[in-house]
Amino acid sequence: SQQGEEDPQALSIQEGENATMNCSYKTSINNLQWYRQNSGRGLVHLILIRSNEREKHSGRLRVTLDTSKKSSSLLITASRAADTASYFCATDPLINTGGFKTIFGAGTRLFVKA
Amino acid sequence: EAGVVQSPRYKIIEKKQPVAFWCNPISGHNTLYWYRQNLGQGPELLIRYENEEAVDDSQLPKDRFSAERLKGVDSTLKIQPAELGDSAVYLCASSLDRYNEQFFGPGTRLTVL
């Protein structure tokens, strides 16, 4: 079963609007990462937020992490057509052996209309 | 700086044939990952290497899949024999260590006929 689940599954907005994607997970984590994947391409790392952090920014991206609710959100401000892609959250859950295994959600498909 | 390199980019084979994928991680990255991504899904971790040691291979179908990372640098992932359900994109990623962000290669799109 997948650890991370993104919401919504798909999102369509106008250029210039903000886009918010959410990720929920089930167990305690070391960190949470957000990735972007353009159609037919590899994944591009966007932001890594550690379990002791609550918010991080990178350009037009803002990520929040609420470990009490086991959720994270990715906000893209002033969206552009080039932001059209699938966005995935990936978690490194703490497992019994003390190790971890990166688990990706199914992704949010964002379409930004020009 | 060169990114993660994978080859081939595309592979079409008939079922029951063997296939191998190659990955060259970013220089200096100790951790290497192999993922499988089915259409419309997120990547699924198959195996993770810390240097040359394979850890976290619980999702690797060991009856037909094998992987190696000689000298802790390049890695190969092999399927023998391939089945129809193996059609997917196989992604390689690397990171400085297990605690840092992963950098992905472009992937190998495998089609099994």
Side-chain angles (χ1 to χ4, degrees), chain B residues 33-61:
Chain B
Y33 312 77
W34 281 104
Y35 291 89
R36 176 172 58 193
Q37 185 176 24
N38 292 307
L39 189 64
Q41 297 295 315
E44 175 191 14
L45 180 69
L46 294 175
I47 190 169
R48 172 172 63 94
Y49 280 92
E50 296 290 345
N51 297 302
E52 63 272 10
E53 182 182 359
V55 296
D56 236 343
D57 62 351
S58 59
Q59 296 296 102
L60 191 71

mmCIF file of all heavy atoms in Angstrom, chain B residues 33-61:
data_model
loop_
_atom_site.group_PDB
_atom_site.id
_atom_site.type_symbol
_atom_site.label_atom_id
_atom_site.label_comp_id
_atom_site.label_asym_id
_atom_site.label_seq_id
_atom_site.Cartn_x
_atom_site.Cartn_y
_atom_site.Cartn_z
ATOM 1 N N TYR B 33 19.041 4.029 -6.284
ATOM 2 C CA TYR B 33 17.695 3.447 -6.206
ATOM 3 C C TYR B 33 17.245 2.993 -7.597
ATOM 4 O O TYR B 33 17.521 3.653 -8.582
ATOM 5 C CB TYR B 33 16.680 4.486 -5.729
ATOM 6 C CG TYR B 33 17.046 5.293 -4.511
ATOM 7 C CD1 TYR B 33 17.955 6.338 -4.586
ATOM 8 C CD2 TYR B 33 16.439 5.039 -3.281
ATOM 9 C CE1 TYR B 33 18.272 7.103 -3.476
ATOM 10 C CE2 TYR B 33 16.744 5.806 -2.158
ATOM 11 C CZ TYR B 33 17.663 6.831 -2.266
ATOM 12 O OH TYR B 33 17.964 7.590 -1.159
ATOM 13 N N TRP B 34 16.528 1.905 -7.620
ATOM 14 C CA TRP B 34 15.801 1.484 -8.815
ATOM 15 C C TRP B 34 14.308 1.506 -8.472
ATOM 16 O O TRP B 34 13.879 0.950 -7.455
ATOM 17 C CB TRP B 34 16.188 0.081 -9.262
ATOM 18 C CG TRP B 34 17.475 -0.005 -10.003
ATOM 19 C CD1 TRP B 34 18.678 -0.460 -9.522
ATOM 20 C CD2 TRP B 34 17.718 0.323 -11.371
ATOM 21 N NE1 TRP B 34 19.630 -0.419 -10.495
ATOM 22 C CE2 TRP B 34 19.072 0.057 -11.661
ATOM 23 C CE3 TRP B 34 16.910 0.820 -12.409
ATOM 24 C CZ2 TRP B 34 19.645 0.268 -12.907
ATOM 25 C CZ3 TRP B 34 17.463 1.027 -13.639
ATOM 26 C CH2 TRP B 34 18.826 0.751 -13.882
ATOM 27 N N TYR B 35 13.538 2.158 -9.361
ATOM 28 C CA TYR B 35 12.090 2.227 -9.218
ATOM 29 C C TYR B 35 11.435 1.684 -10.490
ATOM 30 O O TYR B 35 12.006 1.724 -11.570
ATOM 31 C CB TYR B 35 11.624 3.680 -9.055
ATOM 32 C CG TYR B 35 11.995 4.355 -7.757
ATOM 33 C CD1 TYR B 35 13.196 5.035 -7.619
ATOM 34 C CD2 TYR B 35 11.118 4.349 -6.673
ATOM 35 C CE1 TYR B 35 13.521 5.687 -6.435
ATOM 36 C CE2 TYR B 35 11.433 5.002 -5.484
ATOM 37 C CZ TYR B 35 12.638 5.664 -5.379
ATOM 38 O OH TYR B 35 12.948 6.312 -4.206
ATOM 39 N N ARG B 36 10.208 1.265 -10.328
ATOM 40 C CA ARG B 36 9.360 0.927 -11.467
ATOM 41 C C ARG B 36 8.138 1.840 -11.402
ATOM 42 O O ARG B 36 7.544 2.024 -10.329
ATOM 43 C CB ARG B 36 8.919 -0.530 -11.408
ATOM 44 C CG ARG B 36 7.947 -0.935 -12.509
ATOM 45 C CD ARG B 36 7.715 -2.438 -12.510
ATOM 46 N NE ARG B 36 7.208 -2.927 -11.234
ATOM 47 C CZ ARG B 36 7.161 -4.214 -10.902
ATOM 48 N NH1 ARG B 36 7.606 -5.137 -11.741
ATOM 49 N NH2 ARG B 36 6.675 -4.585 -9.730
ATOM 50 N N GLN B 37 7.795 2.414 -12.557
ATOM 51 C CA GLN B 37 6.629 3.295 -12.597
ATOM 52 C C GLN B 37 5.670 2.831 -13.675
ATOM 53 O O GLN B 37 5.998 2.816 -14.862
ATOM 54 C CB GLN B 37 7.042 4.753 -12.872
ATOM 55 C CG GLN B 37 5.879 5.727 -12.792
ATOM 56 C CD GLN B 37 6.294 7.172 -12.973
ATOM 57 O OE1 GLN B 37 7.329 7.455 -13.575
ATOM 58 N NE2 GLN B 37 5.506 8.091 -12.439
ATOM 59 N N ASN B 38 4.487 2.460 -13.238
ATOM 60 C CA ASN B 38 3.436 2.092 -14.170
ATOM 61 C C ASN B 38 2.670 3.345 -14.575
ATOM 62 O O ASN B 38 2.651 4.354 -13.865
ATOM 63 C CB ASN B 38 2.496 1.074 -13.544
ATOM 64 C CG ASN B 38 3.165 -0.263 -13.324
ATOM 65 O OD1 ASN B 38 3.738 -0.843 -14.239
ATOM 66 N ND2 ASN B 38 3.113 -0.759 -12.093
ATOM 67 N N LEU B 39 2.018 3.276 -15.704
ATOM 68 C CA LEU B 39 1.304 4.413 -16.269
ATOM 69 C C LEU B 39 0.281 4.957 -15.272
ATOM 70 O O LEU B 39 -0.533 4.206 -14.727
ATOM 71 C CB LEU B 39 0.611 4.000 -17.568
ATOM 72 C CG LEU B 39 -0.001 5.125 -18.394
ATOM 73 C CD1 LEU B 39 1.096 6.061 -18.893
ATOM 74 C CD2 LEU B 39 -0.789 4.565 -19.577
ATOM 75 N N GLY B 40 0.358 6.243 -15.014
ATOM 76 C CA GLY B 40 -0.614 6.876 -14.127
ATOM 77 C C GLY B 40 -0.356 6.659 -12.652
ATOM 78 O O GLY B 40 -1.180 7.048 -11.816
ATOM 79 N N GLN B 41 0.779 6.065 -12.327
ATOM 80 C CA GLN B 41 1.107 5.784 -10.925
ATOM 81 C C GLN B 41 2.412 6.462 -10.536
ATOM 82 O O GLN B 41 3.179 6.906 -11.393
ATOM 83 C CB GLN B 41 1.236 4.279 -10.709
ATOM 84 C CG GLN B 41 -0.051 3.506 -10.965
ATOM 85 C CD GLN B 41 -1.131 3.867 -9.971
ATOM 86 O OE1 GLN B 41 -0.891 3.952 -8.773
ATOM 87 N NE2 GLN B 41 -2.333 4.093 -10.466
ATOM 88 N N GLY B 42 2.643 6.507 -9.242
ATOM 89 C CA GLY B 42 3.926 6.992 -8.765
ATOM 90 C C GLY B 42 4.965 5.892 -8.838
ATOM 91 O O GLY B 42 4.634 4.715 -8.990
ATOM 92 N N PRO B 43 6.238 6.250 -8.741
ATOM 93 C CA PRO B 43 7.295 5.223 -8.764
ATOM 94 C C PRO B 43 7.204 4.303 -7.556
ATOM 95 O O PRO B 43 6.844 4.725 -6.463
ATOM 96 C CB PRO B 43 8.581 6.063 -8.710
ATOM 97 C CG PRO B 43 8.187 7.423 -9.161
ATOM 98 C CD PRO B 43 6.783 7.607 -8.704
ATOM 99 N N GLU B 44 7.553 3.046 -7.777
ATOM 100 C CA GLU B 44 7.571 2.033 -6.717
ATOM 101 C C GLU B 44 9.006 1.572 -6.539
ATOM 102 O O GLU B 44 9.644 1.133 -7.501
ATOM 103 C CB GLU B 44 6.682 0.859 -7.095
ATOM 104 C CG GLU B 44 6.733 -0.305 -6.118
ATOM 105 C CD GLU B 44 6.054 -1.551 -6.655
ATOM 106 O OE1 GLU B 44 5.785 -1.609 -7.863
ATOM 107 O OE2 GLU B 44 5.796 -2.470 -5.867
ATOM 108 N N LEU B 45 9.519 1.676 -5.328
ATOM 109 C CA LEU B 45 10.903 1.301 -5.073
ATOM 110 C C LEU B 45 11.094 -0.204 -5.236
ATOM 111 O O LEU B 45 10.365 -1.004 -4.658
ATOM 112 C CB LEU B 45 11.313 1.719 -3.662
ATOM 113 C CG LEU B 45 12.745 1.394 -3.267
ATOM 114 C CD1 LEU B 45 13.723 2.264 -4.056
ATOM 115 C CD2 LEU B 45 12.957 1.604 -1.768
ATOM 116 N N LEU B 46 12.101 -0.566 -6.025
ATOM 117 C CA LEU B 46 12.449 -1.976 -6.189
ATOM 118 C C LEU B 46 13.620 -2.357 -5.293
ATOM 119 O O LEU B 46 13.597 -3.396 -4.626
ATOM 120 C CB LEU B 46 12.808 -2.269 -7.651
ATOM 121 C CG LEU B 46 11.675 -2.139 -8.668
ATOM 122 C CD1 LEU B 46 12.218 -2.343 -10.081
ATOM 123 C CD2 LEU B 46 10.571 -3.123 -8.372
ATOM 124 N N ILE B 47 14.649 -1.528 -5.299
ATOM 125 C CA ILE B 47 15.838 -1.831 -4.526
ATOM 126 C C ILE B 47 16.620 -0.561 -4.276
ATOM 127 O O ILE B 47 16.592 0.364 -5.089
ATOM 128 C CB ILE B 47 16.718 -2.890 -5.241
ATOM 129 C CG1 ILE B 47 17.838 -3.396 -4.333
ATOM 130 C CG2 ILE B 47 17.259 -2.347 -6.550
ATOM 131 C CD1 ILE B 47 18.568 -4.625 -4.899
ATOM 132 N N ARG B 48 17.286 -0.513 -3.143
ATOM 133 C CA ARG B 48 18.164 0.618 -2.804
ATOM 134 C C ARG B 48 19.534 0.078 -2.448
ATOM 135 O O ARG B 48 19.648 -0.927 -1.751
ATOM 136 C CB ARG B 48 17.571 1.394 -1.632
ATOM 137 C CG ARG B 48 18.479 2.470 -1.053
ATOM 138 C CD ARG B 48 17.738 3.315 -0.025
ATOM 139 N NE ARG B 48 17.303 2.552 1.134
ATOM 140 C CZ ARG B 48 17.991 2.450 2.267
ATOM 141 N NH1 ARG B 48 19.158 3.033 2.379
ATOM 142 N NH2 ARG B 48 17.497 1.761 3.283
ATOM 143 N N TYR B 49 20.558 0.744 -2.942
ATOM 144 C CA TYR B 49 21.947 0.405 -2.635
ATOM 145 C C TYR B 49 22.566 1.499 -1.777
ATOM 146 O O TYR B 49 22.399 2.690 -2.046
ATOM 147 C CB TYR B 49 22.779 0.270 -3.911
ATOM 148 C CG TYR B 49 22.613 -1.039 -4.624
ATOM 149 C CD1 TYR B 49 21.657 -1.184 -5.627
ATOM 150 C CD2 TYR B 49 23.413 -2.129 -4.306
ATOM 151 C CE1 TYR B 49 21.505 -2.392 -6.289
ATOM 152 C CE2 TYR B 49 23.271 -3.340 -4.959
ATOM 153 C CZ TYR B 49 22.316 -3.459 -5.951
ATOM 154 O OH TYR B 49 22.165 -4.655 -6.601
ATOM 155 N N GLU B 50 23.281 1.075 -0.764
ATOM 156 C CA GLU B 50 24.176 1.962 -0.028
ATOM 157 C C GLU B 50 25.587 1.516 -0.411
ATOM 158 O O GLU B 50 26.045 0.460 0.021
ATOM 159 C CB GLU B 50 23.955 1.847 1.475
ATOM 160 C CG GLU B 50 22.576 2.295 1.932
ATOM 161 C CD GLU B 50 22.366 3.796 1.816
ATOM 162 O OE1 GLU B 50 23.356 4.542 1.643
ATOM 163 O OE2 GLU B 50 21.199 4.231 1.877
ATOM 164 N N ASN B 51 26.246 2.328 -1.241
ATOM 165 C CA ASN B 51 27.501 1.902 -1.874
ATOM 166 C C ASN B 51 27.220 0.604 -2.641
ATOM 167 O O ASN B 51 26.324 0.576 -3.464
ATOM 168 C CB ASN B 51 28.604 1.787 -0.841
ATOM 169 C CG ASN B 51 28.889 3.135 -0.207
ATOM 170 O OD1 ASN B 51 29.228 4.098 -0.886
ATOM 171 N ND2 ASN B 51 28.726 3.226 1.109
ATOM 172 N N GLU B 52 27.957 -0.458 -2.369
ATOM 173 C CA GLU B 52 27.713 -1.673 -3.145
ATOM 174 C C GLU B 52 26.764 -2.647 -2.451
ATOM 175 O O GLU B 52 26.465 -3.713 -2.980
ATOM 176 C CB GLU B 52 29.032 -2.382 -3.466
ATOM 177 C CG GLU B 52 29.796 -2.880 -2.264
ATOM 178 C CD GLU B 52 30.723 -1.807 -1.697
ATOM 179 O OE1 GLU B 52 30.628 -0.639 -2.116
ATOM 180 O OE2 GLU B 52 31.536 -2.148 -0.823
ATOM 181 N N GLU B 53 26.278 -2.257 -1.281
ATOM 182 C CA GLU B 53 25.413 -3.143 -0.523
ATOM 183 C C GLU B 53 23.943 -2.906 -0.852
ATOM 184 O O GLU B 53 23.448 -1.782 -0.766
ATOM 185 C CB GLU B 53 25.636 -2.938 0.978
ATOM 186 C CG GLU B 53 24.793 -3.868 1.837
ATOM 187 C CD GLU B 53 24.999 -3.626 3.322
ATOM 188 O OE1 GLU B 53 25.796 -2.753 3.674
ATOM 189 O OE2 GLU B 53 24.323 -4.305 4.117
ATOM 190 N N ALA B 54 23.241 -3.979 -1.199
ATOM 191 C CA ALA B 54 21.815 -3.891 -1.481
ATOM 192 C C ALA B 54 21.030 -3.926 -0.175
ATOM 193 O O ALA B 54 21.165 -4.854 0.614
ATOM 194 C CB ALA B 54 21.381 -5.033 -2.373
ATOM 195 N N VAL B 55 20.243 -2.902 0.049
ATOM 196 C CA VAL B 55 19.355 -2.869 1.201
ATOM 197 C C VAL B 55 17.963 -2.556 0.675
ATOM 198 O O VAL B 55 17.795 -2.022 -0.395
ATOM 199 C CB VAL B 55 19.808 -1.818 2.237
ATOM 200 C CG1 VAL B 55 21.161 -2.171 2.803
ATOM 201 C CG2 VAL B 55 19.853 -0.433 1.619
ATOM 202 N N ASP B 56 16.952 -2.891 1.420
ATOM 203 C CA ASP B 56 15.607 -2.513 1.019
ATOM 204 C C ASP B 56 15.219 -3.094 -0.334
ATOM 205 O O ASP B 56 14.923 -2.354 -1.285
ATOM 206 C CB ASP B 56 15.502 -0.996 0.940
ATOM 207 C CG ASP B 56 14.383 -0.490 1.816
ATOM 208 O OD1 ASP B 56 13.520 -1.280 2.203
ATOM 209 O OD2 ASP B 56 14.394 0.717 2.109
ATOM 210 N N ASP B 57 15.257 -4.408 -0.499
ATOM 211 C CA ASP B 57 14.879 -5.021 -1.771
ATOM 212 C C ASP B 57 13.608 -5.845 -1.625
ATOM 213 O O ASP B 57 13.377 -6.788 -2.381
ATOM 214 C CB ASP B 57 16.011 -5.887 -2.309
ATOM 215 C CG ASP B 57 16.345 -7.041 -1.370
ATOM 216 O OD1 ASP B 57 15.816 -7.075 -0.239
ATOM 217 O OD2 ASP B 57 17.144 -7.906 -1.773
ATOM 218 N N SER B 58 12.784 -5.485 -0.654
ATOM 219 C CA SER B 58 11.590 -6.284 -0.388
ATOM 220 C C SER B 58 10.585 -6.266 -1.539
ATOM 221 O O SER B 58 9.765 -7.155 -1.663
ATOM 222 C CB SER B 58 10.914 -5.809 0.899
ATOM 223 O OG SER B 58 10.555 -4.443 0.799
ATOM 224 N N GLN B 59 10.628 -5.221 -2.373
ATOM 225 C CA GLN B 59 9.691 -5.128 -3.485
ATOM 226 C C GLN B 59 10.252 -5.709 -4.777
ATOM 227 O O GLN B 59 9.588 -5.674 -5.804
ATOM 228 C CB GLN B 59 9.319 -3.660 -3.711
ATOM 229 C CG GLN B 59 8.579 -3.023 -2.543
ATOM 230 C CD GLN B 59 7.238 -3.659 -2.309
ATOM 231 O OE1 GLN B 59 7.064 -4.466 -1.399
ATOM 232 N NE2 GLN B 59 6.279 -3.324 -3.140
ATOM 233 N N LEU B 60 11.451 -6.233 -4.739
ATOM 234 C CA LEU B 60 12.071 -6.793 -5.942
ATOM 235 C C LEU B 60 11.607 -8.243 -6.113
ATOM 236 O O LEU B 60 11.857 -9.077 -5.245
ATOM 237 C CB LEU B 60 13.596 -6.744 -5.804
ATOM 238 C CG LEU B 60 14.405 -7.041 -7.056
ATOM 239 C CD1 LEU B 60 14.286 -5.891 -8.049
ATOM 240 C CD2 LEU B 60 15.865 -7.272 -6.690
ATOM 241 N N PRO B 61 10.934 -8.548 -7.235
ATOM 242 C CA PRO B 61 10.502 -9.937 -7.496
ATOM 243 C C PRO B 61 11.727 -10.805 -7.756
ATOM 244 O O PRO B 61 12.207 -10.901 -8.888
ATOM 245 C CB PRO B 61 9.614 -9.802 -8.741
ATOM 246 C CG PRO B 61 9.300 -8.354 -8.864
ATOM 247 C CD PRO B 61 10.482 -7.625 -8.303
#
